Amino acid sequence: MMKNLLFTISFTLVALFSLAQVTLNPFFATQNDVVTITFNATQGNGALTGVVPVYMHTGVILQGQNGWQNVQGNWGTADNNVLMTPMGNNVHQKTIDISQFYNLQGSDVVLQLAFVFRNAGGTVVGRAADDSDIFVDLYNTDFSGAITAPLGTQILLNIPTNFLLEAQTNTAASISLYKNDDLLATGNDIASLSASIDFTGEPLGQYWLWMEANDGTETIYDSTYVILQGAPLVQDPPNGTIDGINYLDDNTVILQIFAPFKNFVYVLGDFNNWEFHPEYFAKKTLSGDRFWVQLNNLTVGEEYRFQYSIDLVDMRVADIYSEKILDPWNDQWISSETYPNLISYPNGLTTQIVSVLQTAQQPYDWQVTNFQRPPKERLIVYELLVRDFTEQHSFQSLIDTLGYLERLGVNAIQLMPVQEFEGNESWGYNPMFYFAIDKYYGTKDDLKKFIDECHSRGIAVILDVVFNHSFGQNPQVRMYSQNGAAGPVTAQSPYFNIVATHPFNVGYDYNHNSLATQAFMKRNMHFLVEEFKFDGFRFDLSKGFTQNNTLGNVGAWSAYDQNRINHWTRIKNEISEVDPSAYLILEHFAANNEETVLANNGFLLWGNMNHEFNEATMGYTSNLNWANYQARGWNQPNLVSYAESHDEERLMYKNIQFGSQSNPNHNTRQIPVALSRMEASAAMNIPLLGPKMIWQFGELGYDYSINHCPDGTVNEDCRTANKPIRWDYYYHAERQRLYKVYSAINKLKRDYPAFGSTDYNYDVAGFGKRLIIEHTTMDVVIIANFSVNPISMVPGFTHPGTWYDYFAGESIIENNLSNPFLLQPGEYRIYTDVELETPDLSLGIEEAAFGGGVLINAYPNPFYDFTQVSYSIESAQKLQVRVLDMQGRTLDMLYNGIQTPGNHMLHWAGTDQSGAKLANGIYLIQFVSDSGSAVSKIMLQR
């Protein structure tokens, strides 16, 4: 609506059609007025239809402030302050003095009142039709006027003979009403004027309705559009057009949307100023289930924002195939460092998520085009959540950690979901857009660069994908939800089951019997492989692909399901069309006879051994045998056994909280003891034939609960909350040793053929556990004592003769194969009959005295991508930390200022002050402070 503005075309975009959901009386209310608020519960999302009583939840939008202010109403309570009076016919009212009700201050300028409505408990919420908040304009005390009928742009499917055009002003004035350039009515000294328009015989198209009013001093205008609309033109697009964004050339795009059961579609966006216009009225395909529009004369390389508006409801959806979307609620919290030059959301022009298209995008220049994937039976997978792995939570910061992961010896990284999910700080299992990468982690090219860099280091990248379910911002959900808002989907949905078919479902349950769902998933899998070069996928909740209704019966859900097997066989075949060697990992946890079929068909399956491994590390009875694919009767070593995952409690946390204390000299709740037992756990899992998985920071003994809360408490409600990021753990001696033990064990599995042998014995039922491997190149015997007391056990050497202790670097000659070995509690040994290089378990940190005997150190040293320099300051003082060459010349300044007391860490990437990479060689890290100075040598070796 116009508010004392010069002549401008305007239209309301929130309330597009039919009756107003919320009105104020007086119409031209100011913030100083007493007003009656009327809420029609049948409008908008209609959620409160038939509900009595209704409560407001309301605030104000203030000039110069973002978001709701001065909010009134205590959510979930029967708060009389916001209780509305039922007037009958689903209409509710409340009269308030705006200034007093919202506790306004003298300097406050109110632009809008903001509303949602609820039942007493807050479990049912009335919102706008698109499930957004409701906003109603206020006016100032100056001369104001507006068109009050129709409210907003109207699309007329039938030709009306008496269409009402009405305007009002807040004081007597001369008012004139127009249709295009035709004067319809005029009057003097009046506050309202109406005209009836007969559209009989008028051609289809857009009509501009506007008012002019003058109070003798000032002239104001307001305007809106109506569109006389016929049926869509039925015509197929050019051959080869697919759903989504089709780039024909640098100036031309076709947008196509799959929308069965829908009547018509408009495209709104930057290219038409977000206006409904016949030129952007979509054509309908001959099949009747798709709509398309061609956009011409686009500017080369310019980003355009757009949405689809569907039928006579205020349903606006982004394109599900978008590779970039804008989120009005969450994008504001994404830093420019993570996502530079992010185009802004079109605030005030639309609501809900919008898509972005851009012609002439520059393709990513892949550096590695011939990556050789590690054999799946040798995979050592490192699972991580970008949000909780680096403080910067970005793909770029992940690249900076690859040296650490490469030295750890992993050969695959599994990213928890990074496709656009709802919110920012999430585990990612609430997906909404599958072709777009979540901007909270960076750009799509940042992700490609990360994958490229992984491949250059021999590391595969596996993506965790979520196709069991989706959430309410997904256009596939919104298009077929009741009233176009979040709620149960209707029977017309081509994608989702009305009711989930299985227990443990969250969000909306995909119907995998639907051809539409199958085609969508296939296309997304092909896209991820071809566009990003992912090496494989971990499929979340793969058991949920059942279409047998097992609600309330977990046992029946887990039972053998041939239909589910058929779906996974089809999916594997579809992915093989573009990548026959992709790793396909299922989080299945179904009956073993079903998992056997899938494993023998080439799938990898998660093998959750968290409970048994944790019982072992805590010092209790355990049996690890189910980590062995042979014990399950599988033909192929396709079991991804793991002691920790994102879904499981952390071993070290339970060790410290619940470990055995029966032997005071080996108390598993003490951190050094618990860490030593984690070494034994790794020795009994990683070398076993088949792919293995490590959860992030498990190699450092991460000891925060999965339910750790930001305030330090432990509560199940914090399961998916942000967790502390403890890179400093590497500088704790016992934890660094654990890292190096992991690295050494990973090297065995990755580099030596013996660890691919199927000829082995996994004897792991008692406290004393053994893995005995026989192979033509080398025999291996691994023993471990998981008791909290010493035990004697026969190692099980495969032959008499010389055996080499891998970690001790010592040899023994054993001719008595029945000879028992005494193992101390938590002790383990790895023997080979071929002498191997002894792993270096030293700290590898060069230390130097610094001010009062405090030590500084740098690790890694030598380094080739980055090193971290740690030091301690006892009191606040001026400090300079420089990088010098061997001639004493300053190359870089790492710190220059007043340093606070405590432990600190600096990062150096082997560059000078300009960011240029330095040549290999020895450099000096110089510390100069009020209390002393020190120099530490460090070697750069790329």
Side-chain angles (χ1 to χ4, degrees):
M1 298 178 183
M2 303 304 298
K3 299 185 192 177
N4 304 322
L5 299 177
L6 295 177
F7 181 76
T8 305
I9 297 172
S10 71
F11 51 93
T12 302
L13 286 167
V14 176
L16 289 180
F17 312 106
S18 67
L19 300 176
Q21 188 178 9
V22 177
T23 59
L24 303 182
N25 185 18
F27 185 91
F28 297 104
T30 73
Q31 66 186 64
N32 301 312
D33 287 334
V34 174
V35 299
T36 298
I37 301 164
T38 301
F39 169 60
N40 187 331
T42 65
Q43 303 304 306
N45 68 1
L48 290 170
T49 300
V51 174
V52 176
V54 166
Y55 295 81
M56 299 190 307
H57 191 74
T58 181
V60 292
I61 305 300
L62 296 178
Q63 188 176 67
Q65 300 288 327
N66 292 322
W68 288 38
Q69 306 294 324
N70 301 22
V71 176
Q72 302 298 312
N74 296 302
W75 195 269
T77 66
D79 186 348
N80 286 329
N81 186 48
V82 290
L83 175 65
M84 303 192 78
T85 302
M87 309 304 292
N89 295 323
N90 287 294
V91 173
H92 307 264
Q93 289 185 341
K94 185 171 183 64
T95 300
I96 64 170
D97 183 318
I98 292 177
S99 181
Q100 293 182 12
F101 183 79
Y102 292 105
N103 301 315
L104 299 180
Q105 304 302 307
S107 60
D108 289 339
V109 177
V110 182
L111 303 178
Q112 294 174 310
L113 303 185
F115 299 94
V116 296
F117 300 85
R118 61 176 175 87
N119 63 352
T123 57
V124 182
V125 183
R127 299 179 182 271
D130 62 357
D131 225 36
S132 61
D133 298 344
I134 302 164
F135 299 95
V136 180
D137 292 334
L138 290 186
Y139 292 79
N140 54 38
T141 56
D142 298 331
F143 179 41
S144 300
I147 292 176
T148 55
L151 284 174
T153 301
Q154 296 248 336
I155 297 173
L156 308 176
L157 300 183
N158 300 305
I159 306 300
T161 59
N162 57 348
F163 186 83
L164 180 64
L165 174 62
E166 182 179 60
Q168 296 184 37
T169 57
N170 64 346
T171 187
S174 298
I175 304 175
S176 299
L177 301 178
Y178 296 84
K179 180 188 73 174
N180 293 337
D181 293 328
D182 299 330
L183 178 65
L184 300 176
T186 187
N188 297 316
D189 199 26
I190 55 176
S192 66
L193 180 66
S194 62
S196 179
I197 307 173
D198 184 356
F199 281 102
T200 304
E202 297 279 16
L204 300 178
Q206 185 182 63
Y207 292 85
W208 175 36
L209 307 180
W210 55 286
M211 63 156 283
E212 178 184 49
N214 183 280
D215 66 350
T217 302
E218 183 178 3
T219 301
I220 60 174
Y221 303 87
D222 192 21
S223 63
T224 189
Y225 285 108
V226 296
I227 296 174
L228 298 186
Q229 177 186 297
L233 176 65
V234 176
Q235 178 185 329
D236 279 341
N239 289 337
T241 301
I242 59 176
D243 295 338
I245 305 169
N246 297 262
Y247 294 101
L248 303 189
D249 56 43
D250 289 351
N251 308 102
T252 313
V253 166
I254 287 180
L255 302 177
Q256 179 170 287
I257 182 171
F258 178 61
F261 304 107
K262 302 304 180 183
N263 297 306
F264 60 87
V265 172
Y266 281 86
V267 175
L268 307 175
D270 293 331
F271 36 76
N272 59 13
N273 296 317
W274 295 89
E275 298 177 8
F276 289 85
H277 194 282
E279 181 182 349
Y280 299 93
F281 182 47
K283 299 174 183 177
K284 196 171 190 177
T285 61
L286 271 64
S287 62
D289 57 4
R290 286 175 166 84
F291 298 84
W292 63 280
V293 167
Q294 181 166 313
L295 307 179
N296 301 309
N297 302 316
L298 299 176
T299 300
V300 177
E302 183 173 326
E303 289 189 307
Y304 290 88
R305 304 163 294 185
F306 75 95
Q307 285 175 316
Y308 301 105
S309 178
I310 302 174
D311 285 357
L312 284 179
V313 293
D314 188 11
M315 181 192 295
R316 298 190 180 200
V317 298
D319 194 313
I320 188 64
Y321 294 97
S322 303
E323 295 180 32
K324 182 175 181 178
I325 58 100
L326 301 178
D327 182 329
W329 307 287
N330 298 293
D331 284 359
Q332 60 186 308
W333 309 113
I334 298 174
S335 71
S336 59
E337 289 77 19
T338 299
Y339 200 110
N341 304 314
L342 178 60
I343 186 173
S344 62
Y345 183 86
N347 287 305
L349 297 173
T350 192
T351 62
Q352 295 292 329
I353 290 171
V354 306
S355 293
V356 177
L357 65 84
Q358 182 186 24
T359 65
Q361 296 181 51
Q362 292 299 311
Y364 177 79
D365 183 17
W366 291 94
Q367 301 302 298
V368 180
T369 58
N370 58 346
F371 177 61
Q372 298 297 309
R373 292 171 181 154
K376 60 184 179 181
E377 67 274 9
R378 297 289 191 88
L379 279 180
I380 306 166
V381 180
Y382 194 89
E383 184 190 20
L384 65 86
L385 171 61
V386 180
R387 183 198 72 186
D388 288 350
F389 196 58
T390 69
E391 294 287 353
Q392 295 81 12
H393 59 72
S394 69
F395 298 125
Q396 182 58 51
S397 64
L398 279 189
I399 293 173
D400 295 335
T401 71
L402 288 180
Y404 170 92
L405 294 174
E406 184 178 9
R407 290 187 293 276
L408 179 60
V410 300
N411 54 18
I413 294 172
Q414 180 177 300
L415 298 176
M416 287 173 68
V418 300
Q419 293 153 294
E420 277 281 5
F421 46 77
E422 298 194 1
N424 283 334
E425 296 187 348
S426 167
W427 275 10
Y429 296 104
N430 51 341
M432 54 180 183
F433 286 83
Y434 289 76
F435 289 76
I437 301 304
D438 201 288
K439 300 183 299 299
Y440 192 64
Y441 296 152
T443 69
K444 64 181 180 182
D445 277 0
D446 289 340
L447 175 56
K448 292 175 183 179
K449 183 180 178 183
F450 166 74
I451 295 170
D452 209 9
E453 183 63 26
C454 285
H455 287 172
S456 74
R457 298 169 182 261
I459 300 173
V461 182
I462 298 167
L463 179 63
D464 200 337
V465 290
V466 187
F467 283 105
N468 172 78
H469 57 266
S470 194
F471 276 74
Q473 289 302 323
N474 180 337
Q476 296 167 330
V477 173
R478 294 188 57 238
M479 286 170 62
Y480 296 96
S481 293
Q482 296 177 6
N483 300 312
V489 295
T490 66
Q492 291 182 338
S493 173
Y495 298 105
F496 295 96
N497 294 307
I498 299 175
V499 177
T501 60
H502 61 88
F504 290 88
N505 185 75
V506 293
Y508 296 84
D509 182 36
Y510 269 114
N511 175 6
H512 288 281
N513 283 345
S514 163
L515 295 179
T517 298
Q518 293 175 15
F520 176 74
M521 183 176 177
K522 175 182 177 180
R523 180 169 163 187
N524 189 241
M525 291 289 95
H526 285 200
F527 170 79
L528 293 171
V529 168
E530 295 176 327
E531 183 72 15
F532 291 95
K533 299 187 184 298
F534 280 110
D535 299 292
F537 304 98
R538 180 264 188 189
F539 295 94
D540 180 66
L541 203 59
S542 59
K543 186 167 61 177
F545 279 43
T546 183
Q547 291 304 303
N548 296 327
N549 195 322
T550 57
L551 279 177
N553 189 334
V554 175
W557 178 37
S558 302
Y560 186 94
D561 184 339
Q562 186 61 51
N563 176 260
R564 183 165 55 204
I565 292 173
N566 294 343
H567 282 309
W568 281 113
T569 301
R570 169 185 52 79
I571 292 166
K572 182 177 185 294
N573 292 337
E574 290 171 348
I575 295 173
S576 294
E577 293 174 11
V578 292
D579 192 347
S581 67
Y583 310 120
L584 305 181
I585 306 173
L586 304 182
E587 185 201 23
H588 215 60
F589 303 137
N592 188 56
N593 56 350
E594 180 174 329
E595 292 202 349
T596 300
V597 172
L598 293 167
N600 293 344
N601 192 28
F603 285 98
L604 307 181
L605 290 102
W606 261 24
N608 180 5
M609 294 297 297
N610 174 262
H611 173 77
E612 293 298 330
F613 271 107
N614 217 165
E615 291 297 293
T617 58
M618 289 189 294
Y620 305 123
T621 303
S622 66
N623 188 340
L624 309 181
N625 199 41
W626 210 236
N628 178 11
Y629 84 97
Q630 292 182 353
R632 300 189 181 207
W634 298 3
N635 294 336
Q636 298 184 40
N638 288 344
L639 182 63
V640 186
S641 61
Y642 58 85
E644 291 179 313
S645 77
H646 69 270
D647 262 338
E648 311 302 332
E649 185 57 273
R650 314 307 176 216
L651 266 61
M652 274 294 291
Y653 174 76
K654 287 187 68 176
N655 290 346
I656 295 169
Q657 296 296 319
F658 309 111
S660 172
Q661 302 181 88
S662 62
N663 181 355
N665 296 319
H666 189 83
N667 181 350
T668 66
R669 298 190 187 187
Q670 294 177 346
I671 288 178
V673 174
L675 288 169
S676 71
R677 298 180 69 89
M678 294 288 286
E679 295 180 17
S681 171
M684 273 297 139
N685 184 37
I686 293 172
L688 179 63
L689 181 60
K692 306 301 169 197
M693 186 174 72
I694 303 167
W695 168 242
Q696 66 180 28
F697 298 129
E699 74 282 0
L700 295 176
Y702 192 80
D703 46 13
Y704 290 87
S705 170
I706 191 174
N707 297 318
H708 180 86
C709 300
D711 64 1
T713 61
V714 175
N715 189 301
E716 288 185 4
D717 292 340
C718 296
R719 181 180 180 85
T720 62
N722 298 57
K723 297 298 184 285
I725 299 171
R726 298 301 306 269
W727 282 93
D728 61 305
Y729 271 7
Y730 186 86
Y731 299 96
H732 300 186
E734 299 95 339
R735 297 181 188 274
Q736 187 182 128
R737 174 186 162 87
L738 177 61
Y739 169 92
K740 291 197 168 186
V741 167
Y742 263 92
S743 176
I745 295 173
N746 290 342
K747 178 178 174 63
L748 291 177
K749 184 181 188 73
R750 191 188 64 232
D751 294 348
Y752 291 97
F755 293 89
S757 173
T758 60
D759 186 5
Y760 64 85
N761 179 29
Y762 196 52
D763 176 17
V764 288
F767 280 116
K769 304 184 190 297
R770 303 173 181 84
L771 173 59
I772 303 169
I773 303 172
E774 296 185 70
H775 191 261
T776 56
T777 62
M778 180 173 67
D779 287 0
V780 183
V781 174
I782 303 175
I783 55 177
N785 173 19
F786 285 95
S787 172
V788 295
N789 297 298
I791 64 171
S792 292
M793 62 183 297
V794 175
F797 291 126
T798 56
H799 59 78
T802 302
W803 289 84
Y804 301 89
D805 187 323
Y806 178 53
F807 283 107
E810 300 172 348
S811 64
I812 62 171
I813 297 175
E814 184 57 72
N815 293 317
N816 181 3
L817 301 186
S818 299
N819 184 32
F821 282 36
L822 178 65
L823 294 184
Q824 296 301 315
E827 185 179 5
Y828 67 96
R829 301 179 192 174
I830 299 178
Y831 289 104
T832 63
D833 64 359
V834 174
E835 187 174 11
L836 305 178
E837 181 182 359
T838 304
D840 179 12
L841 300 185
S842 64
L843 293 183
I845 298 174
E846 181 175 333
E847 298 179 340
F850 179 56
V854 177
L855 295 180
I856 63 173
N857 55 59
Y859 186 86
N861 186 10
F863 77 103
Y864 58 89
D865 53 356
F866 74 93
T867 188
Q868 296 188 93
V869 182
S870 61
Y871 58 95
S872 179
I873 293 287
E874 295 177 339
S875 61
Q877 54 194 290
K878 181 173 176 56
L879 174 69
Q880 289 183 335
V881 183
R882 297 187 183 94
V883 178
L884 311 177
D885 63 15
M886 294 302 290
Q887 288 72 46
R889 292 172 296 195
T890 298
L891 301 176
D892 200 359
M893 180 73 75
L894 303 185
Y895 187 86
N896 185 16
I898 303 299
Q899 183 65 277
T900 58
N903 298 318
H904 302 279
M905 186 179 299
L906 297 172
H907 174 282
W908 186 50
T911 58
D912 63 16
Q913 287 179 303
S914 70
K917 290 185 176 180
L918 296 174
N920 289 346
I922 296 176
Y923 296 90
L924 306 175
I925 308 293
Q926 181 191 54
F927 289 73
V928 179
S929 77
D930 297 338
S931 60
S933 64
V935 173
S936 179
K937 290 183 180 180
I938 190 164
M939 178 177 287
L940 172 59
Q941 188 175 5
R942 298 189 194 277

